[in-house]
């Protein structure tokens, strides 16, 4: 089953993490066959929020909501069950200063999937 692990942290607390530590975790996750996709995100100041209301598109600089912790990155993982997903999420380096939200992926009815999509990153 696929799970999305959303990494949240205060950006200032993430400054103490060397990229090498996160890259090493990511490489281990990929070698074990658990990682489907993963990316770190640019700082929240680069975010743009798009909304459609009453047929009108509005674009706002910044994230959807003001919060102390911001979305810093994600891992899309393959795990046997929620317990294994939690174990994997508990080893993501920024979890030590922030949090990781683990959510199961919901398959949309009627959506045809490419059988090789999990290996190529295509849906």
């Amino acid at each position: 089953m696929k799970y999305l692990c959303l990494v949240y942290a205060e950006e200032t607390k993430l400054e103490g993490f060397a990229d090498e530590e996160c890259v090493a975790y990511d490489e281990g996750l990929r070698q074990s066959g658990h990682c489907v996709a993963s990316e770190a995100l640019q700082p929240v100041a680069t975010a743009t929020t798009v909304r459609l209301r009453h047929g009108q598109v509005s674009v706002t600089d910044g994230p959807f909501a003001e919060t102390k912790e911001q979305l810093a990155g994600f891992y899309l993982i393959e795990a046997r069950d929620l317990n294994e997903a939690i174990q994997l999420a508990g080893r993501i380096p920024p979890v030590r200063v922030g949090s990781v939200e683990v959510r199961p992926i919901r398959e949309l009815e009627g959506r045809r999937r490419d059988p090789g999509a999990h290996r190529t990153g295509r849906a």
Side-chain angles (χ1 to χ4, degrees):
M1 181 161 192
K2 290 186 180 91
Y3 294 87
L4 184 62
C5 299
L6 298 167
V7 179
Y8 290 94
E10 292 180 51
E11 289 180 346
T12 56
K13 291 184 178 178
L14 289 175
E15 292 169 6
F17 282 92
D19 284 347
E20 294 81 17
E21 183 178 4
C22 295
V23 169
Y25 175 78
D26 186 74
E27 287 174 352
L29 201 60
R30 288 175 187 277
Q31 288 174 358
S32 71
H34 289 99
C35 186
V36 176
S38 60
E39 294 293 341
L41 299 176
Q42 292 288 333
V44 72
T46 66
T48 302
T49 299
V50 178
R51 293 180 179 85
L52 178 65
R53 301 291 184 273
H54 309 290
Q56 297 294 315
V57 173
S58 76
V59 178
T60 308
D61 290 340
F64 177 71
E66 292 291 325
T67 62
K68 192 171 186 179
E69 293 184 336
Q70 293 84 31
L71 181 61
F74 71 90
Y75 290 88
L76 178 59
I77 62 171
E78 185 78 42
R80 283 186 310 274
D81 54 29
L82 180 59
N83 289 330
E84 183 179 35
I86 290 168
Q87 292 299 314
L88 294 167
R91 294 194 298 261
I92 296 172
V95 77
R96 296 191 310 263
V97 296
S99 62
V100 176
E101 178 182 346
V102 178
R103 294 183 59 184
I105 298 298
R106 179 173 64 96
E107 294 293 332
L108 299 175
E109 287 187 37
R111 182 175 181 195
R112 297 185 71 197
R113 288 198 163 267
D114 175 353
H118 71 280
R119 289 187 299 279
T120 64
R122 295 186 335 258

